[in-house]
Amino acid sequence: MHFGLITKESPVFRHGECQFSIILLIEVCIGAFLKTGIIRSHGGDVLIMPAMYFFVRMLYPRKIKLLPYMLFIFAAIVELLQYLNLLELLSIRRTSLLGIILGSTGD
């Protein structure tokens, strides 16, 4: 008997919905409640990669062999754009949606 619990065999667990939801909740809590510190400055960067992985797996349940490499390249490009200060060059506010997605500092 499962009693409505999520198990490793359930489709929700297999396709990443549960994992994505948990990581997203942690990300939101970090952004909302922590204003300074190493968790605030680096925790989001560390957690966003598994969140992106589980989000893509949620949309495409079939195994994508190159997905970790594609996400690494995407993350490297975002960090490079942060380092080059793209937001300031394009006059994008840090509080705008694009500003939040790109982040404001290259760690």
Side-chain angles (χ1 to χ4, degrees):
M1 295 181 98
H2 293 301
F3 298 108
L5 298 175
I6 297 174
T7 64
K8 287 187 176 184
E9 292 79 29
S10 69
V12 170
F13 192 84
R14 280 190 307 228
H15 299 304
E17 289 98 342
C18 181
Q19 295 94 331
F20 174 73
S21 300
I22 291 169
I23 293 173
L24 183 63
L25 179 64
I26 293 169
E27 287 273 356
V28 168
C29 288
I30 288 171
F33 300 115
L34 297 178
K35 301 303 176 197
T36 60
I38 193 162
I39 300 295
R40 170 68 180 193
S41 61
H42 293 85
D45 288 350
V46 171
L47 286 176
I48 198 63
M49 293 310 299
M52 289 174 55
Y53 176 82
F54 289 124
F55 181 73
V56 172
R57 286 298 308 247
M58 187 173 62
L59 297 177
Y60 301 102
R62 292 182 33 208
K63 187 170 183 168
I64 303 171
K65 290 182 181 182
L66 297 177
L67 181 59
Y69 301 109
M70 293 186 303
L71 290 175
F72 173 77
I73 291 169
F74 175 76
I77 290 170
V78 168
E79 288 293 327
L80 178 66
L81 293 176
Q82 289 175 350
Y83 176 75
L84 297 174
N85 208 2
L86 182 71
L87 297 179
E88 190 173 304
L89 291 173
L90 298 177
S91 299
I92 299 172
R93 291 190 335 258
R94 291 180 182 200
T95 56
S96 70
L97 181 59
L98 184 59
I100 292 169
I101 291 171
L102 285 178
S104 58
T105 58
D107 299 321

